[in-house]
Amino acid sequence: MILPLAKLGTLALRTFSKPIANRFKKEASIHPKFRQFIINFAQANHQFTTNIQRRIYGHSTNVAIRPLNEEKAVQAAADLVAVAAVIFEVQRSARSEARKEEQRRQELEALKKRDEDLSREVALLKQKLAELEELSRERGLSGLFHVRHPHDAENVKAKSS
């Protein structure tokens, strides 16, 4: 399952990088110093990858490696830079998405905290309302306005006795 997915990813990467590689090759044909720079880069990359492959497969690494011809070197460098540009863009996009996700997570945390605060406030108000209702049942409507009747003082004395 992983191998077909890897091949599909490689194909997609090459497809996306073709326009960049073509532009790179065009610039290399116009500017001789730039062309020489990318040829040297491609040759160094070719030697490095060939040595790595030889070590992986257990072949001798002290054998001279034939350099690429100029066109193949330009093509290899163009492909390498184009792939690097696509990878850079994908990573940049992933970092951007990660930042957005972190911001959404922080906003969600703030909303949860606000919800908890409001829940506590509602619970407190319910408690106060229940206390007021209890007072109004005990004293009647006049209990809410702190109006004292002469017989209320007698009831309070009788209850405490």
Side-chain angles (χ1 to χ4, degrees), residues 10 12-25 34 38 41 45 73-90:
T10 304
L13 193 62
R14 285 184 185 205
T15 302
F16 291 132
S17 66
K18 281 293 181 190
I20 298 169
N22 290 338
R23 176 72 178 173
F24 199 70
K25 285 188 281 187
F34 179 65
I38 64 170
F41 178 73
N45 182 54
V74 169
Q75 177 65 38
D79 289 343
L80 188 62
V81 169
V83 167
V86 170
I87 290 171
F88 173 77
E89 182 60 29
V90 167

Side-chain angles (χ1 to χ4, degrees), residues 9 33 48 60 66-67 73 75 87-88 102 107 110 113 158:
K33 286 183 182 180
F48 176 74
S60 175
R66 278 186 299 183
Q75 177 65 38
I87 290 171
F88 173 77
E102 179 62 23
E107 288 173 358
K113 185 179 180 331

